[in-house]
Amino acid sequence: MSPDQFIDWVSLISLALLTLALLLTLARIIIGPTLSDRVLALDLLTLVAMGFIGAIAVRTGLALYLDIAIALALLGFLATIALARYILLRAQSGGDM
Amino acid sequence: MLANLAVYAGGIMLLLGAIFTLIATIGVVRLPDLYTRMHAASKAGAVGGGLILVAVALVEQDSSVSVRALIGIIFLLLTTPLSAHLLARASHLAGYRPDKRTVIDDINKNAEQNSAQK
């Protein structure tokens, strides 16, 4: 098998596995049951999306996608920090669980 | 020849990264409570994302791409444990209890000690 064919097949299989991972993470976001679970699943969702972008970068050979992946990781980190702070503030102000 | 070998290695890394990410999501769906799910998501998720970045660097074989992939991996290794810790701490202080099967709860013990000292 030539390298091009190999990369073609491997990236296709990886994209299929990542699609399954994306759907499972979506299931956890929908069924909850608490706010923290949903925040955690969203954090994992940005990681899975980063993996998607990496697999597409390998498949198409466009390295520019790597910058998008790094920006997405930064965005996911900041969103998780903001939501953790929101959970803490909501508990301190005596909101419902 | 060596370039071909790097491409094959990159393909295998890509596959491994996708498998690790899938394992992380299976853990998030199947584990019993928030803190064990966090363990699956932060560890296996970071390894999966990092392996996929390594795969991009190996397949492209360009120094600028490799440097950016390395920066991405370092960033992931720095931020993933940090965000998991922040979320776990905030959730515990907000009153989300661990599963019944969890036997050690260090934050709770420390909170009792702190209140006893006051």
Side-chain angles (χ1 to χ4, degrees), chain A residues 4-87:
Chain A
D4 286 345
Q5 271 178 315
F6 179 70
I7 286 299
D8 224 34
W9 275 107
V10 161
S11 58
L12 198 65
I13 297 167
S14 304
L15 283 173
L17 292 177
L18 287 168
T19 308
L20 194 61
L22 203 72
L23 290 176
L24 285 175
T25 318
L26 270 180
R28 177 50 75 190
I29 291 176
I30 291 168
I31 61 181
T34 63
L35 176 64
S36 293
D37 284 315
R38 294 196 170 98
V39 174
L40 174 70
L42 278 172
D43 191 31
L44 186 60
L45 195 72
T46 53
L47 269 176
V48 176
M50 209 180 134
F52 249 109
I53 295 171
I56 290 172
V58 168
R59 194 171 168 78
T60 61
L62 287 175
L64 266 179
Y65 283 118
L66 205 60
D67 296 341
I68 305 172
I70 293 172
L72 194 68
L74 178 66
L75 199 70
F77 174 58
L78 292 178
T80 310
I81 287 181
L83 286 168
R85 194 162 170 73
Y86 167 67
I87 291 170

Side-chain angles (χ1 to χ4, degrees), chain B residues 22-47:
Chain B
L22 185 61
I23 290 172
T25 58
I26 290 172
V28 165
V29 169
R30 285 190 50 87
L31 285 173
D33 69 344
L34 174 72
Y35 304 99
T36 47
R37 278 173 206 150
M38 195 166 283
H39 155 82
S42 62
K43 288 175 188 69
V47 170

